[in-house]
PDB file of all heavy atoms in Angstrom:
ATOM      1  N   MET R   1      36.376-138.495  78.378  1.00 46.00           N
ATOM      2  CA  MET R   1      36.447-137.408  79.343  1.00 46.00           C
ATOM      3  C   MET R   1      35.093-136.855  79.544  1.00 46.00           C
ATOM      4  O   MET R   1      34.322-136.635  78.644  1.00 46.00           O
ATOM      5  CB  MET R   1      37.455-136.371  78.833  1.00 46.00           C
ATOM      6  CG  MET R   1      37.392-135.055  79.609  1.00 46.00           C
ATOM      7  SD  MET R   1      38.507-133.918  79.098  1.00 46.00           S
ATOM      8  CE  MET R   1      39.870-134.427  80.082  1.00 46.00           C
ATOM      9  N   ALA R   6      35.795-131.214  80.829  1.00 51.00           N
ATOM     10  CA  ALA R   6      36.490-130.574  79.673  1.00 51.00           C
ATOM     11  C   ALA R   6      36.144-129.115  79.649  1.00 51.00           C
ATOM     12  O   ALA R   6      37.093-128.220  79.342  1.00 51.00           O
ATOM     13  CB  ALA R   6      36.157-131.200  78.377  1.00 51.00           C
ATOM     14  N   LEU R   9      37.987-127.332  82.415  1.00 50.00           N
ATOM     15  CA  LEU R   9      39.375-127.247  82.153  1.00 50.00           C
ATOM     16  C   LEU R   9      39.673-126.141  81.128  1.00 50.00           C
ATOM     17  O   LEU R   9      40.591-125.378  81.311  1.00 50.00           O
ATOM     18  CB  LEU R   9      39.941-128.642  81.589  1.00 50.00           C
ATOM     19  CG  LEU R   9      41.376-128.658  81.162  1.00 50.00           C
ATOM     20  CD1 LEU R   9      42.287-128.499  82.291  1.00 50.00           C
ATOM     21  CD2 LEU R   9      41.695-129.989  80.475  1.00 50.00           C
ATOM     22  N   MET R  30      52.232-133.733  70.788  1.00 87.00           N
ATOM     23  CA  MET R  30      50.954-133.379  71.278  1.00 87.00           C
ATOM     24  C   MET R  30      50.105-132.533  70.278  1.00 87.00           C
ATOM     25  O   MET R  30      48.944-132.698  70.107  1.00 87.00           O
ATOM     26  CB  MET R  30      50.992-132.685  72.637  1.00 87.00           C
ATOM     27  CG  MET R  30      51.438-133.574  73.763  1.00 87.00           C
ATOM     28  SD  MET R  30      50.421-135.047  74.070  1.00 87.00           S
ATOM     29  CE  MET R  30      49.095-134.138  74.970  1.00 87.00           C
ATOM     30  N   ALA R  33      49.034-134.895  67.502  1.00 86.00           N
ATOM     31  CA  ALA R  33      47.958-135.805  67.988  1.00 86.00           C
ATOM     32  C   ALA R  33      46.632-134.959  68.047  1.00 86.00           C
ATOM     33  O   ALA R  33      45.594-135.536  67.626  1.00 86.00           O
ATOM     34  CB  ALA R  33      48.253-136.328  69.402  1.00 86.00           C
ATOM     35  N   SER R  34      46.742-133.699  68.500  1.00 86.00           N
ATOM     36  CA  SER R  34      45.519-132.890  68.617  1.00 86.00           C
ATOM     37  C   SER R  34      44.951-132.666  67.173  1.00 86.00           C
ATOM     38  O   SER R  34      43.742-132.717  67.006  1.00 86.00           O
ATOM     39  CB  SER R  34      45.953-131.535  69.242  1.00 86.00           C
ATOM     40  OG  SER R  34      44.790-130.648  69.250  1.00 86.00           O
ATOM     41  N   GLN R  35      45.870-132.402  66.204  1.00 87.00           N
ATOM     42  CA  GLN R  35      45.308-132.106  64.903  1.00 87.00           C
ATOM     43  C   GLN R  35      44.848-133.427  64.233  1.00 87.00           C
ATOM     44  O   GLN R  35      43.803-133.339  63.539  1.00 87.00           O
ATOM     45  CB  GLN R  35      46.437-131.567  64.033  1.00 87.00           C
ATOM     46  CG  GLN R  35      45.952-130.838  62.743  1.00 87.00           C
ATOM     47  CD  GLN R  35      44.975-129.781  63.084  1.00 87.00           C
ATOM     48  OE1 GLN R  35      45.161-128.956  63.951  1.00 87.00           O
ATOM     49  NE2 GLN R  35      43.936-129.697  62.226  1.00 87.00           N
ATOM     50  N   LEU R  37      43.137-135.673  65.849  1.00 90.00           N
ATOM     51  CA  LEU R  37      41.787-135.774  66.459  1.00 90.00           C
ATOM     52  C   LEU R  37      40.760-134.873  65.809  1.00 90.00           C
ATOM     53  O   LEU R  37      39.639-135.214  65.542  1.00 90.00           O
ATOM     54  CB  LEU R  37      41.830-135.457  67.944  1.00 90.00           C
ATOM     55  CG  LEU R  37      42.509-136.624  68.776  1.00 90.00           C
ATOM     56  CD1 LEU R  37      42.826-136.041  70.184  1.00 90.00           C
ATOM     57  CD2 LEU R  37      41.608-137.806  68.835  1.00 90.00           C
ATOM     58  N   VAL R  38      41.253-133.659  65.483  1.00 90.00           N
ATOM     59  CA  VAL R  38      40.393-132.745  64.702  1.00 90.00           C
ATOM     60  C   VAL R  38      40.013-133.323  63.314  1.00 90.00           C
ATOM     61  O   VAL R  38      38.899-133.255  62.880  1.00 90.00           O
ATOM     62  CB  VAL R  38      41.049-131.313  64.584  1.00 90.00           C
ATOM     63  CG1 VAL R  38      40.283-130.495  63.625  1.00 90.00           C
ATOM     64  CG2 VAL R  38      41.193-130.699  65.867  1.00 90.00           C
ATOM     65  N   ARG R  40      39.899-136.499  62.498  1.00 89.00           N
ATOM     66  CA  ARG R  40      38.959-137.550  62.691  1.00 89.00           C
ATOM     67  C   ARG R  40      37.600-137.079  63.029  1.00 89.00           C
ATOM     68  O   ARG R  40      36.536-137.559  62.515  1.00 89.00           O
ATOM     69  CB  ARG R  40      39.477-138.425  63.883  1.00 89.00           C
ATOM     70  CG  ARG R  40      40.515-139.400  63.487  1.00 89.00           C
ATOM     71  CD  ARG R  40      40.943-140.346  64.601  1.00 89.00           C
ATOM     72  NE  ARG R  40      39.800-141.019  65.303  1.00 89.00           N
ATOM     73  CZ  ARG R  40      39.800-141.416  66.583  1.00 89.00           C
ATOM     74  NH1 ARG R  40      40.909-141.292  67.298  1.00 89.00           N
ATOM     75  NH2 ARG R  40      38.772-141.995  67.168  1.00 89.00           N
ATOM     76  N   LYS R  49      30.095-137.925  69.014  1.00 91.00           N
ATOM     77  CA  LYS R  49      31.425-138.335  68.844  1.00 91.00           C
ATOM     78  C   LYS R  49      32.359-137.200  68.313  1.00 91.00           C
ATOM     79  O   LYS R  49      33.542-137.049  68.666  1.00 91.00           O
ATOM     80  CB  LYS R  49      31.535-139.570  67.842  1.00 91.00           C
ATOM     81  CG  LYS R  49      32.845-140.157  67.749  1.00 91.00           C
ATOM     82  CD  LYS R  49      32.846-141.489  66.962  1.00 91.00           C
ATOM     83  CE  LYS R  49      34.242-142.019  66.946  1.00 91.00           C
ATOM     84  NZ  LYS R  49      34.369-143.327  66.170  1.00 91.00           N
ATOM     85  N   THR R  50      31.809-136.395  67.430  1.00 91.00           N
ATOM     86  CA  THR R  50      32.523-135.192  66.960  1.00 91.00           C
ATOM     87  C   THR R  50      32.960-134.324  68.057  1.00 91.00           C
ATOM     88  O   THR R  50      34.030-133.966  68.148  1.00 91.00           O
ATOM     89  CB  THR R  50      31.670-134.515  65.896  1.00 91.00           C
ATOM     90  OG1 THR R  50      31.406-135.294  64.748  1.00 91.00           O
ATOM     91  CG2 THR R  50      32.377-133.215  65.433  1.00 91.00           C
ATOM     92  N   ARG R  51      31.953-133.952  68.911  1.00 92.00           N
ATOM     93  CA  ARG R  51      32.246-133.132  70.073  1.00 92.00           C
ATOM     94  C   ARG R  51      33.319-133.717  70.987  1.00 92.00           C
ATOM     95  O   ARG R  51      34.278-133.115  71.324  1.00 92.00           O
ATOM     96  CB  ARG R  51      30.891-132.911  70.851  1.00 92.00           C
ATOM     97  CG  ARG R  51      31.165-132.034  72.116  1.00 92.00           C
ATOM     98  CD  ARG R  51      29.933-132.018  73.108  1.00 92.00           C
ATOM     99  NE  ARG R  51      29.435-133.450  73.323  1.00 92.00           N
ATOM    100  CZ  ARG R  51      29.992-134.290  74.121  1.00 92.00           C
ATOM    101  NH1 ARG R  51      31.040-134.030  74.754  1.00 92.00           N
ATOM    102  NH2 ARG R  51      29.394-135.501  74.262  1.00 92.00           N
ATOM    103  N   ARG R  52      33.151-135.025  71.280  1.00 93.00           N
ATOM    104  CA  ARG R  52      34.149-135.690  72.087  1.00 93.00           C
ATOM    105  C   ARG R  52      35.629-135.629  71.496  1.00 93.00           C
ATOM    106  O   ARG R  52      36.569-135.366  72.263  1.00 93.00           O
ATOM    107  CB  ARG R  52      33.706-137.170  72.355  1.00 93.00           C
ATOM    108  CG  ARG R  52      34.640-137.862  73.408  1.00 93.00           C
ATOM    109  CD  ARG R  52      34.230-139.308  73.559  1.00 93.00           C
ATOM    110  NE  ARG R  52      34.082-140.128  72.369  1.00 93.00           N
ATOM    111  CZ  ARG R  52      35.123-140.598  71.656  1.00 93.00           C
ATOM    112  NH1 ARG R  52      36.357-140.396  72.026  1.00 93.00           N
ATOM    113  NH2 ARG R  52      34.957-141.286  70.545  1.00 93.00           N
ATOM    114  N   LEU R  53      35.621-135.878  70.246  1.00 92.00           N
ATOM    115  CA  LEU R  53      37.029-135.812  69.575  1.00 92.00           C
ATOM    116  C   LEU R  53      37.604-134.436  69.606  1.00 92.00           C
ATOM    117  O   LEU R  53      38.791-134.248  69.827  1.00 92.00           O
ATOM    118  CB  LEU R  53      36.868-136.382  68.165  1.00 92.00           C
ATOM    119  CG  LEU R  53      36.634-137.881  68.006  1.00 92.00           C
ATOM    120  CD1 LEU R  53      36.322-138.235  66.569  1.00 92.00           C
ATOM    121  CD2 LEU R  53      37.921-138.664  68.409  1.00 92.00           C
ATOM    122  N   LEU R  54      36.719-133.434  69.350  1.00 93.00           N
ATOM    123  CA  LEU R  54      37.317-132.064  69.512  1.00 93.00           C
ATOM    124  C   LEU R  54      37.738-131.626  70.909  1.00 93.00           C
ATOM    125  O   LEU R  54      38.670-130.981  71.049  1.00 93.00           O
ATOM    126  CB  LEU R  54      36.185-131.069  68.921  1.00 93.00           C
ATOM    127  CG  LEU R  54      35.895-131.228  67.382  1.00 93.00           C
ATOM    128  CD1 LEU R  54      34.662-130.393  67.066  1.00 93.00           C
ATOM    129  CD2 LEU R  54      37.090-130.779  66.584  1.00 93.00           C
ATOM    130  N   GLU R  55      36.961-132.144  71.882  1.00 93.00           N
ATOM    131  CA  GLU R  55      37.310-131.841  73.236  1.00 93.00           C
ATOM    132  C   GLU R  55      38.652-132.530  73.636  1.00 93.00           C
ATOM    133  O   GLU R  55      39.566-132.018  74.246  1.00 93.00           O
ATOM    134  CB  GLU R  55      36.170-132.313  74.225  1.00 93.00           C
ATOM    135  CG  GLU R  55      34.997-131.348  74.138  1.00 93.00           C
ATOM    136  CD  GLU R  55      33.882-131.835  74.989  1.00 93.00           C
ATOM    137  OE1 GLU R  55      33.849-133.058  75.354  1.00 93.00           O
ATOM    138  OE2 GLU R  55      32.901-131.053  75.221  1.00 93.00           O
ATOM    139  N   GLU R  56      38.812-133.834  73.113  1.00 92.00           N
ATOM    140  CA  GLU R  56      40.062-134.473  73.357  1.00 92.00           C
ATOM    141  C   GLU R  56      41.281-133.829  72.640  1.00 92.00           C
ATOM    142  O   GLU R  56      42.361-133.676  73.198  1.00 92.00           O
ATOM    143  CB  GLU R  56      39.953-135.932  72.789  1.00 92.00           C
ATOM    144  CG  GLU R  56      39.088-136.892  73.697  1.00 92.00           C
ATOM    145  CD  GLU R  56      38.937-138.242  73.088  1.00 92.00           C
ATOM    146  OE1 GLU R  56      39.769-138.614  72.160  1.00 92.00           O
ATOM    147  OE2 GLU R  56      38.031-138.954  73.524  1.00 92.00           O
ATOM    148  N   ALA R  57      40.975-133.174  71.511  1.00 92.00           N
ATOM    149  CA  ALA R  57      41.975-132.472  70.819  1.00 92.00           C
ATOM    150  C   ALA R  57      42.390-131.275  71.575  1.00 92.00           C
ATOM    151  O   ALA R  57      43.631-130.867  71.590  1.00 92.00           O
ATOM    152  CB  ALA R  57      41.459-131.957  69.389  1.00 92.00           C
ATOM    153  N   LEU R  58      41.448-130.634  72.254  1.00 92.00           N
ATOM    154  CA  LEU R  58      41.859-129.484  73.178  1.00 92.00           C
ATOM    155  C   LEU R  58      42.653-129.928  74.391  1.00 92.00           C
ATOM    156  O   LEU R  58      43.488-129.131  74.873  1.00 92.00           O
ATOM    157  CB  LEU R  58      40.596-128.692  73.610  1.00 92.00           C
ATOM    158  CG  LEU R  58      39.931-127.901  72.511  1.00 92.00           C
ATOM    159  CD1 LEU R  58      38.695-127.222  73.068  1.00 92.00           C
ATOM    160  CD2 LEU R  58      40.905-126.879  71.951  1.00 92.00           C
ATOM    161  N   VAL R  59      42.385-131.098  74.869  1.00 91.00           N
ATOM    162  CA  VAL R  59      43.160-131.513  75.981  1.00 91.00           C
ATOM    163  C   VAL R  59      44.585-131.786  75.586  1.00 91.00           C
ATOM    164  O   VAL R  59      45.497-131.404  76.298  1.00 91.00           O
ATOM    165  CB  VAL R  59      42.530-132.876  76.540  1.00 91.00           C
ATOM    166  CG1 VAL R  59      43.490-133.514  77.590  1.00 91.00           C
ATOM    167  CG2 VAL R  59      41.213-132.628  77.150  1.00 91.00           C
ATOM    168  N   ALA R  60      44.778-132.271  74.350  1.00 89.00           N
ATOM    169  CA  ALA R  60      46.143-132.487  73.824  1.00 89.00           C
ATOM    170  C   ALA R  60      46.851-131.151  73.486  1.00 89.00           C
ATOM    171  O   ALA R  60      48.022-130.938  73.656  1.00 89.00           O
ATOM    172  CB  ALA R  60      46.144-133.389  72.602  1.00 89.00           C
ATOM    173  N   ASN R  61      46.022-130.183  73.044  1.00 90.00           N
ATOM    174  CA  ASN R  61      46.689-128.907  72.716  1.00 90.00           C
ATOM    175  C   ASN R  61      45.476-127.794  72.815  1.00 90.00           C
ATOM    176  O   ASN R  61      44.702-127.608  71.922  1.00 90.00           O
ATOM    177  CB  ASN R  61      47.155-128.850  71.234  1.00 90.00           C
ATOM    178  CG  ASN R  61      47.602-127.577  70.837  1.00 90.00           C
ATOM    179  OD1 ASN R  61      47.777-126.573  71.590  1.00 90.00           O
ATOM    180  ND2 ASN R  61      47.934-127.377  69.570  1.00 90.00           N
ATOM    181  N   PRO R  62      45.426-127.095  73.972  1.00 92.00           N
ATOM    182  CA  PRO R  62      44.439-126.083  74.206  1.00 92.00           C
ATOM    183  C   PRO R  62      44.552-124.929  73.257  1.00 92.00           C
ATOM    184  O   PRO R  62      43.529-124.155  73.132  1.00 92.00           O
ATOM    185  CB  PRO R  62      44.731-125.544  75.605  1.00 92.00           C
ATOM    186  CG  PRO R  62      45.495-126.706  76.264  1.00 92.00           C
ATOM    187  CD  PRO R  62      46.309-127.313  75.099  1.00 92.00           C
ATOM    188  N   ASN R  64      44.655-125.223  69.971  1.00 91.00           N
ATOM    189  CA  ASN R  64      44.203-125.692  68.623  1.00 91.00           C
ATOM    190  C   ASN R  64      43.022-124.996  68.179  1.00 91.00           C
ATOM    191  O   ASN R  64      41.840-125.270  68.570  1.00 91.00           O
ATOM    192  CB  ASN R  64      43.991-127.238  68.652  1.00 91.00           C
ATOM    193  CG  ASN R  64      43.724-127.842  67.270  1.00 91.00           C
ATOM    194  OD1 ASN R  64      43.229-127.208  66.371  1.00 91.00           O
ATOM    195  ND2 ASN R  64      44.167-129.079  67.155  1.00 91.00           N
ATOM    196  N   ALA R  67      40.153-126.995  66.587  1.00 94.00           N
ATOM    197  CA  ALA R  67      39.273-127.703  67.547  1.00 94.00           C
ATOM    198  C   ALA R  67      38.316-126.645  68.208  1.00 94.00           C
ATOM    199  O   ALA R  67      37.151-126.953  68.346  1.00 94.00           O
ATOM    200  CB  ALA R  67      40.116-128.378  68.659  1.00 94.00           C
ATOM    201  N   LEU R  71      34.228-126.749  67.701  1.00 95.00           N
ATOM    202  CA  LEU R  71      33.294-126.801  68.791  1.00 95.00           C
ATOM    203  C   LEU R  71      32.277-125.623  68.693  1.00 95.00           C
ATOM    204  O   LEU R  71      31.127-125.862  69.018  1.00 95.00           O
ATOM    205  CB  LEU R  71      33.994-126.875  70.171  1.00 95.00           C
ATOM    206  CG  LEU R  71      34.580-128.136  70.567  1.00 95.00           C
ATOM    207  CD1 LEU R  71      35.569-128.089  71.753  1.00 95.00           C
ATOM    208  CD2 LEU R  71      33.462-129.168  70.905  1.00 95.00           C
TER     209      LEU R  71
END
Side-chain angles (χ1 to χ4, degrees):
M1 168 177 274
L9 177 64
M30 291 300 285
S34 177
Q35 198 57 39
L37 287 166
V38 170
R40 280 183 50 205
K49 187 172 183 181
T50 298
R51 179 193 44 77
R52 184 182 52 77
L53 288 168
L54 292 170
E55 288 173 346
E56 287 177 16
L58 287 178
V59 170
N61 178 8
N64 188 327
L71 281 166

